Amino acid sequence: MNIGIKFEKYIQNLYINRGYKNVRHNKTLRKGKYKSQIDVLYSNYFKDYFIECKYRKKGSLVRLDEVAKFVAVLELHGINPNKGEIITNRHLDLRGKIYAKKMDLKVYERDDLIDLERKGWPIWKRYFGKDPNLEKLIRKSYI
């Protein structure tokens, strides 16, 4: 199975385990003749939120053009970018971070994922345990 799809499933399961409702994977948005694929979609307080997952190998960054493309997809479907999240197991490049902030797009990078993963741990393990091995967790994600 493709590691990018495993990463998407990992994010879906992480959100389900953190109590988010109606978490769905690989959904298609339609507007007229346009169709766009959304990696993960969830509902919170009667609002939908849209996630773009970007798995990267060590040393690789999510670039500005990838962030801009996600914002364009949201806007094409009449969705405010503040309802979007871009999540990566690594980091965004500086221009991507600046653009995401300007567009009010939420960004979750490697350290944020580690923090989210820890929130599901018992209190003693949060303070005395090792950091979670994200690569291992992603690779063993199930469909």
Side-chain angles (χ1 to χ4, degrees):
M1 176 189 323
N2 178 325
I3 190 70
I5 293 171
K6 283 189 172 196
F7 183 56
E8 293 168 11
K9 291 302 290 181
Y10 165 74
I11 296 300
Q12 178 188 19
N13 292 329
L14 184 64
Y15 273 62
I16 289 169
N17 292 336
R18 297 302 165 267
Y20 290 95
K21 303 294 180 207
N22 204 13
V23 182
R24 294 153 288 176
H25 174 250
N26 197 22
K27 290 296 165 188
T28 302
L29 300 179
R30 289 180 172 79
K31 184 171 186 175
K33 62 182 179 178
Y34 300 105
K35 291 193 302 188
S36 305
Q37 183 265 341
I38 297 294
D39 295 335
V40 179
L41 176 71
Y42 71 93
S43 299
N44 198 19
Y45 299 106
F46 307 106
K47 294 179 186 173
D48 287 336
Y49 293 87
F50 306 84
I51 301 174
E52 178 69 14
C53 300
K54 294 292 180 187
Y55 180 86
R56 292 292 177 264
K57 293 180 181 174
K58 193 171 187 172
S60 181
L61 300 173
V62 176
R63 300 179 322 268
L64 166 63
D65 62 308
E66 296 171 289
V67 178
K69 181 181 175 187
F70 181 54
V71 169
V73 164
L74 293 174
E75 289 177 338
L76 172 70
H77 293 281
I79 300 165
N80 190 319
N82 71 3
K83 299 284 187 282
E85 302 175 10
I86 196 157
I87 301 178
T88 181
N89 63 317
R90 296 293 170 199
H91 298 281
L92 273 68
D93 68 11
L94 180 59
R95 294 185 325 151
K97 286 180 185 180
I98 291 168
Y99 182 71
K101 185 173 183 170
K102 179 182 176 208
M103 299 307 293
D104 201 20
L105 181 71
K106 291 180 188 73
V107 173
Y108 296 98
E109 296 177 296
R110 183 175 188 79
D111 295 338
D112 303 312
L113 279 180
I114 288 171
D115 288 345
L116 267 177
E117 191 66 49
R118 276 186 168 161
K119 285 182 181 176
W121 289 3
I123 291 176
W124 67 268
K125 191 173 179 183
R126 284 186 222 165
Y127 295 104
F128 301 112
K130 293 182 187 178
D131 281 346
N133 183 336
L134 287 180
E135 301 308 313
K136 189 175 181 181
L137 292 169
I138 292 165
R139 291 189 188 283
K140 70 178 195 176
S141 289
Y142 56 90
I143 290 193

